[in-house]
Amino acid sequence: MSNLTKSQEELADLLLNTKTTAKVIRRQQKEDGSYYLEESSRPTSPIDFSEDPGEFALKIHEVKPDAPLSPIYVNLRNLPDEVLTKIAQVLSEVHLETPQDFCTGVPKAALVIAKKFSEVAGIPFMDVFEKIGQNTDRKIVIKEGFKPKPDTKLLVIDDVIAHGKSKLEALTAAKKVGFYVNMLVLIDREQGGVEQVEKEGCRVYAAMKLTNILDYYMEKNMITKEQYEKSIEYLSKSKV
């Protein structure tokens, strides 16, 4: 059983059936056996499955190019308003143990999600972070001049959590300037990121687990058995 709520099922449908043109990173191999990453664009769904032997390269492949490729990709950028509104609804249904003063998004993908969530949940949005640097040198920092009141509760929103590295960057930066931080993500890829972040003392709320979404798709015959099995196997073997 997928264990999804009705609104989560409606969102899962949209994430599989909505098509946008999105960036896809493929891993290619040189004659000497080494790898390089190649960027291209193709029509994809927010949750999509590999069509090419080189798909999908993720952030981890920037530092570990020989890591196993992911047969499933979650890309929540450039979404139509209908999908963003449903995402915000699903996020707003998550029970938070303590009231939050403000919400923000991890740049850049989650900013538009956090703004829509703010409208639906009634938690004021605050633009806190910026991303500096390029490629493997990029990092997330607090915008200059931010000095919150002591123990201001900040709910940091992101689209997906996998291994947790970028989340820890954002949360550490926010805590350093005095925010009391919790995190809310839409999809947990169940690759160890939640556990990594919670080790550092930050509570992570995840609206949906990727395996539950895959279970739902399989129950409804929306994906093939091969897509399901490859994805489940990959997720189970790629935890940190």
Side-chain angles (χ1 to χ4, degrees):
M1 293 291 292
S2 66
N3 298 317
L4 299 183
T5 66
K6 188 177 189 309
S7 58
Q8 288 172 349
E9 288 181 354
E10 291 169 353
L11 175 58
D13 291 343
L14 288 171
L15 294 180
L16 190 65
N17 295 320
T18 301
K19 286 292 182 184
T20 62
T21 297
K23 180 174 72 174
V24 171
I25 307 297
R26 294 187 176 121
R27 183 176 70 187
Q28 308 290 4
Q29 193 165 23
K30 299 178 183 178
E31 288 184 5
D32 63 4
S34 62
Y35 294 108
Y36 67 96
L37 303 182
E38 182 179 81
E39 182 178 314
S40 63
S41 295
R42 70 168 175 85
T44 67
S45 300
I47 292 181
D48 214 331
F49 299 86
S50 58
E51 294 181 353
D52 181 278
E55 294 176 352
F56 290 104
L58 308 175
K59 282 184 181 179
I60 190 173
H61 294 97
E62 294 175 2
V63 292
K64 293 183 179 179
D66 59 345
L69 294 168
S70 175
I72 185 170
Y73 188 41
V74 182
N75 180 6
L76 302 183
R77 291 172 172 83
N78 304 320
L79 298 176
D81 193 67
E82 175 192 14
V83 181
L84 283 173
T85 300
K86 183 59 70 173
I87 287 173
Q89 178 191 344
V90 167
L91 287 172
S92 70
E93 291 173 355
V94 175
H95 173 69
L96 305 175
E97 292 180 355
T98 55
Q100 303 296 304
D101 298 315
F102 298 96
C103 69
T104 194
V106 176
K108 296 182 180 176
L111 285 173
V112 66
I113 293 173
K115 289 175 182 177
K116 183 65 73 171
F117 170 81
S118 173
E119 294 174 14
V120 172
I123 300 174
F125 173 82
M126 180 185 286
D127 194 2
V128 172
F129 298 113
E130 62 180 341
K131 190 178 284 189
I132 61 173
Q134 297 292 325
N135 300 324
T136 55
D137 293 326
R138 65 183 179 266
K139 63 179 181 177
I140 297 167
V141 298
I142 295 290
K143 288 188 172 183
E144 192 173 340
F146 257 103
K147 292 183 179 177
K149 294 179 181 178
D151 293 326
T152 298
K153 294 181 178 64
L154 179 69
L155 184 65
V156 178
I157 293 171
D158 210 353
D159 49 359
V160 182
I161 186 166
H163 299 104
K165 180 178 178 293
S166 63
K167 315 298 183 280
L168 284 172
E169 266 184 15
L171 298 170
T172 300
K175 287 198 287 188
K176 274 185 178 177
V177 297
F179 283 113
Y180 181 86
V181 184
N182 286 312
M183 171 159 268
L184 174 62
V185 298
L186 180 67
I187 297 175
D188 177 12
R189 282 183 64 110
E190 300 168 89
Q191 293 176 266
V194 170
E195 292 80 1
Q196 291 292 317
V197 172
E198 290 195 333
K199 275 183 189 175
E200 301 302 317
C202 174
R203 174 67 191 273
V204 181
Y205 299 91
M208 306 167 76
K209 292 184 176 182
L210 188 51
T211 54
N212 286 344
I213 296 172
L214 287 166
D215 288 344
Y216 169 73
Y217 289 156
M218 194 63 204
E219 288 167 13
K220 300 295 184 181
N221 295 314
M222 298 169 74
I223 59 174
T224 67
K225 185 178 180 183
E226 181 183 19
Q227 288 171 329
Y228 176 82
E229 290 180 344
K230 279 186 175 181
S231 299
I232 293 293
E233 182 182 17
Y234 170 82
L235 293 171
S236 67
K237 289 182 176 179
S238 58
K239 292 183 180 180
V240 294

